[in-house]
């Protein structure tokens, strides 16, 4: 009887200690991330950076900065700068969302980073855009599932291995119990 109680206490303690792990997956209180409508764009084309409602405080001033090879030649919301990197400030919508239209220069190539920093919330949101030369076709090898990343670092094979070991342990316990019952009768 004591072994059963001890086993129940061990299982309960394991469940209580494991439950908060799911709550620590991603810090959602800092606002959502922004993303481009495309991950790969052609030079000379357009891309749109979309921030969902709640990313920023309502009406918050956001400072956007583009960095990359010749980042100053980008055009953000009809604003062009001659500096080495482009910086632009605009306000978020009433629901905390923002849409930023980006016009890519005709000679752009490589990876560009666009970072937005909320001036009141301090929330920082970055997105990257890969720009291919105008004469090269764009192909996305893995567009992803469209689901948000939950922060899990456990490999899929490890989860299946753990589940399999638990199943094998339960089968072994059932066989031992059956063998004990056969010996007693």
């Amino acid at each position: 009887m004591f072994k059963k109680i001890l086993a129940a206490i061990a299982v309960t303690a394991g469940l209580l200690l494991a439950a908060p792990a799911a709550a620590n997956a991603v810090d959602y209180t800092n606002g959502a991330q922004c993303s481009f409508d495309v991950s790969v764009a052609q030079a000379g084309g357009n891309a749109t950076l979309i921030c969902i409602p709640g990313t920023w405080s309502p009406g918050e001033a956001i400072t956007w900065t583009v960095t990359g090879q010749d980042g100053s030649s980008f055009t953000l919301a009809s604003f062009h700068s001659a500096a080495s990197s482009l910086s632009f400030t605009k306000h978020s919508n009433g629901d905390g969302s923002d849409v930023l239209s980006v016009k890519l220069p005709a000679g752009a190539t490589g990876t560009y980073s666009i970072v937005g920093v909320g001036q009141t919330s301090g929330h920082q949101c970055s997105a990257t855009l890969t720009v291919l030369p105008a004469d090269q076709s764009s192909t996305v090898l893995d567009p992803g599932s469209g689901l948000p990343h939950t922060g899990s670092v456990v490999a899929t094979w490890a989860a299946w291995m753990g589940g399999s070991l638990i199943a094998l342990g339960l089968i072994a316990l059932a066989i031992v119990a059956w063998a004990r019952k056969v010996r007693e009768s």
Side-chain angles (χ1 to χ4, degrees):
M1 182 71 170
F2 179 73
K3 289 182 182 179
K4 290 181 182 179
I5 294 173
L6 189 58
I9 291 172
V11 168
T12 303
L15 289 174
L16 289 175
L17 292 175
N24 291 327
V26 174
D27 186 8
Y28 291 107
T29 60
N30 283 342
Q33 291 298 313
C34 301
S35 61
F36 279 102
D37 59 344
V38 293
S39 59
V40 177
Q42 294 291 123
N46 294 316
T48 303
L49 184 69
I50 302 167
C51 302
I52 63 172
T55 303
W56 311 103
S57 298
E60 177 177 21
I62 308 160
T63 302
W64 293 100
T65 306
V66 178
T67 56
Q69 179 184 350
D70 193 21
S72 64
S73 60
F74 267 67
T75 305
L76 296 175
S78 303
F79 179 77
H80 183 73
S81 171
S84 62
S85 69
L86 177 63
S87 185
F88 176 74
T89 301
K90 70 178 279 196
H91 292 273
S92 68
N93 297 324
D95 61 357
S97 65
D98 195 20
V99 176
L100 189 65
S101 297
V102 179
K103 171 111 174 85
L104 308 173
T109 58
T111 303
Y112 292 85
S113 175
I114 297 183
V115 179
V117 179
Q119 293 180 0
T120 55
S121 68
H123 174 62
Q124 183 172 342
C125 184
S126 63
T128 18
L129 179 66
T130 302
V131 180
L132 297 178
D135 58 351
Q136 184 176 349
S137 65
S138 63
T139 303
V140 177
L141 298 176
D142 182 17
S145 66
L147 296 175
H149 179 63
T150 61
S152 174
V153 293
V154 177
T156 305
W157 65 267
W160 280 102
M161 181 66 73
S164 299
L165 290 174
I166 289 172
L168 287 174
L170 291 173
I171 291 171
L173 284 174
I175 291 172
V176 168
W178 174 76
R180 183 179 289 170
K181 192 175 193 178
V182 168
R183 269 188 273 149
E184 288 176 356
S185 40

